[in-house]
């Protein structure tokens, strides 16, 4: 899939030169009369689709001269679709995707600069780290909308059985997690289940808590740096899995969603998951299953996690960039973002919407801790590195998998990550 | 020993059929399980509780029935076009000797070499120039073009298997060219035509990537595109509704196969008598 992306991207770049004459912008003619904007939405859950449609309906009622049409699309394959759309000049006016996905398109000049349309008030409402994740070469190329963080879900009964008090406070350390995992590894149950079949995403997202950045610089000039900050988390997982034996081994080869099944069955006392899984746990856990979200994990460098928000951006070929930016500004109002994130069980990208949701749902299971974790999300250096996706799939993921399976030691992992990058980014 | 051989053969056949059918059985089972059961450690084939809501959810989501209709139209029309073009072309290819045949075979084999991603962008631009980029007609054209080489290759194999002697015998009896084709070749070729039609239909019915890129308007989406939307970002998958949607999506293919299977059998028998 990823190698296909590379082929498509390369082909698209070449073909765009050949077929420039054929291209034409999307949207309507731009003459007088009402404007119609196409909004390619990736909302997938029924509640999120309904929330998105309501926002669009509200906009259309309030703005009869600027009509927005929702074009639903799926997450799988959307990168290939966008490559073709951009190169053929037929991209929708408003594009829903994730920061990691749109950053390369912005680098290639396909996205409009939204900086002039971003009010100071809105700018102040977006945490700096999150705003940085949608800023390319000093230009804001998308508005962030929804975020997820990694959180720890715990089985209260198994913690109580092991005599562990549920940690309180805003954050807890990884050492605390390790101690709880050790204490709850008893009677055939393991302390932790962590679906790490695709480990790179978790490793790079949680590295900031250990001072890890992985990359310095941007684009093709980026250089990799694998030091203590980057190696601390894989080594901690290795120690928990192979020294403490407190991680259920099979989960290390499973997806996050698969690792929920042993959690429901009482085989694991805790599981590290994307925060959005709270909705699935509430729905799928057996009756009477008493669970809790533990405080945000903090490493030696704090509780920071890399943010890869979902975003809304505007095609540079759109004839109505200003109107599209107005719609996005409306879409990301406090009320709308709160409603959308509630429907998707995600964390709003603006402080005001996060606070609104905390006020509304803070008392409900897990929401308080999940929303609180949103304040620690920070910029992710890997978002602005051209070959990151290729490195992730062809180098990092197999190297981490080998390391977790004890086929590589720490020095071997560090060397594989570094040499692999240098080979790809020549 | 020989008396035991036949039951053992049947047993092996039954095991093989079960092996082949198991994914479908599992899919049907998943389509009637609750989300909680699908995400539990239990691996029971029969659901603890039958959960028919998945079908209602699947049908409620994003125009599943409408997109199934689009898929059906595209698959049937492209199958008809493939057969119409491949039938005479395969006969010519099979019976012709010399450089033209070699060139034809070379073209067929070469056309199978290129991955889809290499042709999608030029194809998109050509179709857009023709005003067919976001249309079922355009997608039908693409499916026809993409399936044709393999269908041609498949069908010419069936034509080659028909002895030329039969045609010559017909001609000796005074039958004209058209009569030979109609009375001798086509009946013997019926199983091949049916098999090729099945292949073309399934190729088009399941095709995802061309539809993903070429179709922009939700009203034109085909079934694979709609089913793809059941798989969300961040690993969110509506497993129950997706399984239910997949079961519904398999029905037209099964119906199509059931209808054509009879023709496949009768064609085989016709061939046996004539041969």
């Amino acid at each position: 899939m990823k190698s296909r992306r590379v082929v498509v991207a390369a082909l698209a770049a070449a073909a765009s030169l050949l077929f420039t004459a054929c291209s034409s912008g999307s949207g309507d003619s731009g003459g007088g009369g009402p404007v119609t904007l196409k909004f390619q939405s990736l909302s997938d859950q029924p509640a999120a689709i309904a929330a998105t449609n309501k926002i669009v309906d509200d906009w259309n009622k309030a703005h009869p001269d600027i009509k927005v049409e929702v074009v639903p699309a799926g997450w799988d394959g959307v990168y290939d679709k966008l490559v073709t759309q951009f190169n053929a000049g037929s991209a929708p006016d408003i594009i829903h995707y994730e920061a990691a996905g749109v950053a390369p398109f912005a680098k290639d000049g396909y996205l409009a600069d939204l900086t002039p349309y971003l009010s100071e008030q809105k700018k102040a409402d977006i945490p700096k780290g999150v705003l940085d994740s949608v800023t390319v070469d000093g230009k804001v190329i998308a508005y962030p909308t929804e975020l997820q963080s990694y959180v720890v879900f715990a089985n209260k009964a198994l913690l109580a059985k092991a005599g562990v008090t549920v940690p309180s406070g805003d954050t807890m350390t990884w050492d605390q997690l390790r101690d709880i995992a050790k204490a709850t590894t008893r009677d055939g149950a393991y302390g932790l289940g962590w679906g790490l079949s695709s480990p790179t995403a978790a490793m790079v997202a949680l590295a900031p808590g250990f001072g890890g950045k992985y990359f310095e610089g941007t684009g093709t000039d980026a250089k990799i740096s694998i030091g203590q900050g980057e190696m601390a988390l894989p080594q901690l997982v290795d120690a928990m899995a192979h020294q403490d034996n407190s991680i259920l081994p099979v989960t290390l080869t499973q997806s996050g969603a698969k690792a929920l099944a042993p959690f429901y069955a009482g085989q694991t006392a805790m599981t590290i998951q994307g925060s959005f899984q709270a909705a699935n746990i509430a729905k799928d856990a057996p009756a009477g299953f008493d669970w809790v979200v533990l405080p945000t994990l903090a490493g030696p460098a704090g509780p920071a996690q890399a943010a890869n928000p979902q975003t809304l951006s505007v095609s540079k070929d759109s004839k109505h960039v200003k109107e599209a930016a107005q719609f996005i500004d409306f879409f990301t109002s406090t009320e709308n973002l709160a409603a959308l994130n509630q429907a998707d069980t995600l964390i709003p990208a603006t402080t005001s919407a996060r606070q609104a949701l905390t006020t509304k749902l803070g008392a409900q299971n897990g929401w308080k801790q999940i929303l609180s974790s949103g304040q620690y999300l920070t910029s992710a250096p890997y978002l602005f590195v051209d070959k990151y996706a290729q490195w992730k799939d062809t180098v990092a993921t197999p190297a981490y998998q080998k390391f977790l399976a004890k086929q590589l030691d720490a020095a071997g992992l560090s060397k594989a990550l570094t040499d692999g990058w240098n080979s790809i980014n020549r | 020993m020989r008396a035991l051989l036949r039951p053992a053969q049947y047993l092996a056949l039954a095991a093989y059929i079960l092996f082949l059918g198991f994914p479908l059985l599992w899919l049907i089972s998943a389509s009637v399980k609750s989300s909680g059961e699908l995400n539990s450690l239990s691996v029971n084939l029969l659901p603890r509780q039958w959960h028919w809501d998945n079908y209602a959810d699947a049908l409620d989501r994003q125009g599943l029935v409408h997109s199934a209709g689009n898929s059906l139209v595209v698959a049937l029309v492209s199958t008809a076009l493939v057969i119409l073009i491949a039938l005479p072309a395969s006969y010519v290819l099979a019976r012709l000797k010399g450089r033209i045949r070699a060139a034809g075979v070379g073209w067929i084999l070469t056309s199978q070499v290129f991955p889809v991603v290499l042709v999608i962008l030029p194809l998109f631009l050509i179709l857009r120039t023709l005003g067919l980029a976001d249309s079922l007609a355009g997608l039908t054209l693409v499916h026809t073009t993409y399936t044709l080489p393999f269908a041609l290759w498949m069908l010419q194999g069936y034509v080659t298997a028909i002895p030329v002697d039969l045609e010559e015998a017909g001609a000796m009896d005074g039958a004209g060219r058209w009569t030979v084709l109609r009375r001798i070749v086509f009946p013997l070729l019926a199983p091949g035509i049916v098999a090729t039609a099945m292949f073309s239909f399934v190729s088009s019915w399941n095709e995802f990537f061309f539809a993903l890129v070429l179709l922009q308007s939700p009203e034109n989406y085909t079934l694979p595109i709609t089913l793809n939307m059941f798989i969300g970002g961040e690993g969110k998958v509506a497993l129950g509704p997706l399984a239910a949607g997949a079961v519904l999506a398999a029905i037209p293919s099964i119906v199509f196969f059931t209808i054509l299977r009879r023709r496949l059998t009768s064609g085989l028998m016709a061939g046996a008598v004539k041969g």
Side-chain angles (χ1 to χ4, degrees):
Chain A
M1 180 69 188
K2 304 294 178 191
S3 57
R4 198 179 69 189
R5 287 180 178 183
V6 175
V7 175
V8 172
L11 180 86
S16 65
L17 294 171
L18 290 169
F19 291 99
T20 307
C22 299
S23 13
S24 65
S26 58
D28 55 13
S29 63
V35 167
T36 300
L37 302 172
K38 285 200 182 300
F39 168 25
Q40 186 163 286
S41 166
L42 303 180
S43 282
D44 45 56
Q45 305 302 302
I49 294 167
T52 302
N53 289 341
K54 183 183 179 306
I55 296 170
V56 171
D57 288 345
D58 290 347
W59 167 270
N60 286 338
K61 275 180 202 153
H63 301 83
D65 52 335
I66 307 172
K67 187 169 179 271
V68 173
E69 278 178 7
V70 178
V71 180
W75 281 90
D76 194 23
V78 71
Y79 182 87
D80 294 338
K81 189 172 176 123
L82 282 169
V83 166
T84 312
Q85 288 175 328
F86 279 128
N87 282 282
S90 64
D93 301 275
I94 301 154
I95 296 150
H96 175 193
Y97 203 15
E98 58 181 3
V102 290
F105 289 124
K107 283 290 244 182
D108 291 344
Y110 289 121
L111 298 181
D113 178 12
L114 300 180
T115 316
Y117 309 104
L118 186 68
S119 69
E120 283 305 315
Q121 191 187 0
K122 177 80 82 181
K123 201 171 173 179
D125 200 15
I126 302 170
K128 186 179 179 306
V130 177
L131 190 61
D132 285 349
S133 70
V134 290
T135 306
V136 174
D137 297 335
K139 295 171 185 165
V140 174
I141 49 88
Y143 280 43
T145 56
E146 301 178 278
L147 296 147
Q148 69 132 343
S149 61
Y150 285 92
V151 296
V152 185
F153 295 92
N155 179 332
K156 277 170 88 174
L158 289 186
L159 262 59
K161 196 172 158 191
V164 173
T165 309
V166 174
S168 56
D170 284 344
T171 62
M172 63 183 269
T173 65
W174 283 91
D175 287 340
Q176 275 179 284
L177 175 83
R178 188 174 177 181
D179 289 342
I180 298 172
K182 273 194 226 171
T184 49
T185 300
R186 49 184 281 170
D187 304 330
Y190 286 81
L192 185 66
W194 194 354
L196 284 175
S197 63
S198 304
T200 314
M203 296 299 171
V204 297
L206 292 165
F210 298 87
K213 291 170 75 176
Y214 280 88
F215 296 101
E216 277 166 14
T218 60
T220 51
D221 296 332
K223 292 198 167 29
I224 199 165
S225 165
I226 306 293
Q228 181 50 37
E230 289 76 19
M231 288 301 294
L233 182 57
Q235 286 180 306
L236 175 66
V237 177
D238 176 51
M240 290 177 73
H242 302 114
Q243 288 173 30
D244 304 347
N245 296 314
S246 60
I247 298 182
L248 178 61
V250 71
T251 61
L252 293 175
T253 62
Q254 289 179 321
S255 67
K258 281 269 166 59
L260 281 172
F263 180 60
Y264 297 150
Q267 287 186 3
T268 55
M270 298 180 289
T271 181
I272 296 178
Q273 298 280 345
S275 52
F276 64 89
Q277 294 285 19
N280 289 332
I281 295 173
K283 182 168 55 114
D284 298 337
F289 186 84
D290 196 6
W291 59 280
V292 66
V293 178
L294 300 187
T296 308
L297 286 165
Q305 293 186 22
N308 177 22
Q310 289 186 37
T311 59
L312 293 180
S313 46
V314 179
S315 164
K316 203 171 185 178
D317 283 343
S318 170
K319 293 186 173 69
H320 308 288
V321 173
K322 184 182 161 199
E323 289 84 350
Q326 284 173 348
F327 169 73
I328 294 177
D329 192 59
F330 174 82
F331 192 97
T332 52
S333 70
T334 299
E335 185 191 349
N336 288 338
L337 271 196
L340 183 68
N341 280 274
Q342 182 182 352
D344 248 341
T345 337
L346 288 170
I347 302 166
T350 61
T351 306
S352 62
R354 189 157 49 76
Q355 283 167 349
L357 217 48
T358 306
T359 307
K360 187 177 177 188
L361 303 169
Q364 289 182 27
N365 224 347
W367 269 107
K368 188 179 168 206
Q369 290 85 348
I370 288 169
L371 290 167
S372 167
S373 70
Q375 67 187 296
Y376 306 118
L377 291 165
T378 184
S379 177
Y382 70 87
L383 292 180
F384 311 108
V385 174
D386 286 359
K387 301 275 179 67
Y388 171 74
Q390 195 182 347
W391 174 80
K392 175 177 168 241
D393 292 333
T394 61
V395 174
T397 294
Y400 281 123
Q401 285 169 339
K402 281 184 186 169
F403 176 72
L404 294 176
K406 299 295 277 178
Q407 292 170 6
L408 262 186
D409 60 10
L413 173 64
S414 175
K415 187 173 184 317
L417 295 176
T418 308
D419 291 353
W421 170 258
N422 292 333
S423 165
I424 285 174
N425 200 42
R426 267 194 298 216
Chain B
M1 189 65 188
R2 183 168 276 187
L4 283 174
L5 191 63
R6 186 46 66 91
Q9 284 175 331
Y10 279 122
L11 198 66
L13 187 63
Y16 185 59
I17 289 170
L18 193 68
F19 174 73
L20 289 181
F22 193 74
L24 187 62
L25 283 178
W26 195 259
L27 181 71
I28 292 168
S29 164
S31 73
V32 287
K33 283 180 179 171
S34 67
S35 174
E37 191 173 355
L38 283 167
N39 291 295
S40 74
L41 285 177
S42 62
V43 282
N44 44 325
L45 184 61
L46 284 178
R48 279 198 297 267
Q49 200 175 5
W50 294 73
H51 192 79
W52 296 104
D53 292 359
N54 289 332
Y55 283 89
D57 284 356
L59 290 168
D60 271 355
R61 278 178 181 236
Q62 329 212 9
L64 193 80
V65 175
H66 181 77
S67 57
N70 287 344
S71 279
L72 195 63
V73 169
V74 172
L76 286 174
V77 175
S78 61
T79 300
L81 287 174
V82 164
I83 296 299
L84 273 175
I85 300 167
L87 191 57
S90 63
Y91 183 79
V92 172
L93 203 65
R95 293 291 186 243
L96 210 66
K97 305 286 177 213
R99 285 183 186 168
I100 295 178
R101 183 183 188 278
V105 170
W107 170 71
I108 291 170
L109 295 177
T110 308
S111 68
Q112 297 298 296
V113 169
F114 299 105
V116 177
V117 289
L118 287 179
V119 297
I120 191 69
L121 188 63
L123 202 60
F124 183 87
L125 291 164
I126 291 165
L127 286 176
R128 208 185 56 177
T129 307
L130 295 172
L132 294 172
D134 181 22
S135 71
L136 295 181
L139 187 66
T140 306
L141 209 59
V142 170
H143 284 185
T144 305
T145 313
Y146 205 71
T147 313
L148 192 58
F150 192 80
L152 203 51
W153 186 250
M154 200 171 157
L155 210 50
Q156 71 96 25
Y158 282 94
V159 177
T160 310
I162 300 170
V164 183
D165 295 354
L166 285 178
E167 293 178 49
E168 287 172 351
M172 292 281 283
D173 288 344
R177 190 92 178 146
W178 174 242
T179 308
V180 167
L181 286 173
R182 194 166 57 85
R183 304 288 291 271
I184 300 172
V185 177
F186 288 165
L188 290 171
L189 204 52
I193 295 170
V194 170
T196 310
M198 285 175 168
F199 165 77
S200 304
F201 181 85
V202 173
S203 296
S204 177
W205 181 258
N206 292 335
E207 199 284 318
F208 172 71
F209 190 65
F210 283 130
L212 172 77
V213 176
L214 297 176
L215 301 176
Q216 312 275 343
S217 309
E219 62 270 21
N220 288 335
Y221 283 174
T222 52
L223 199 55
I225 303 301
T226 304
L227 286 176
N228 179 49
M229 282 194 262
F230 284 50
I231 302 166
E234 320 282 9
K236 285 184 257 184
V237 181
L239 269 180
L242 179 62
V247 170
L248 294 173
I251 292 172
S253 275
I254 292 168
V255 170
F256 189 76
F257 268 60
T258 309
I259 294 167
L260 288 192
R261 190 181 56 85
R262 288 194 191 127
R263 293 292 308 155
L264 192 66
T265 317
S266 64
L268 280 168
M269 286 191 294
V273 172
K274 293 272 198 270

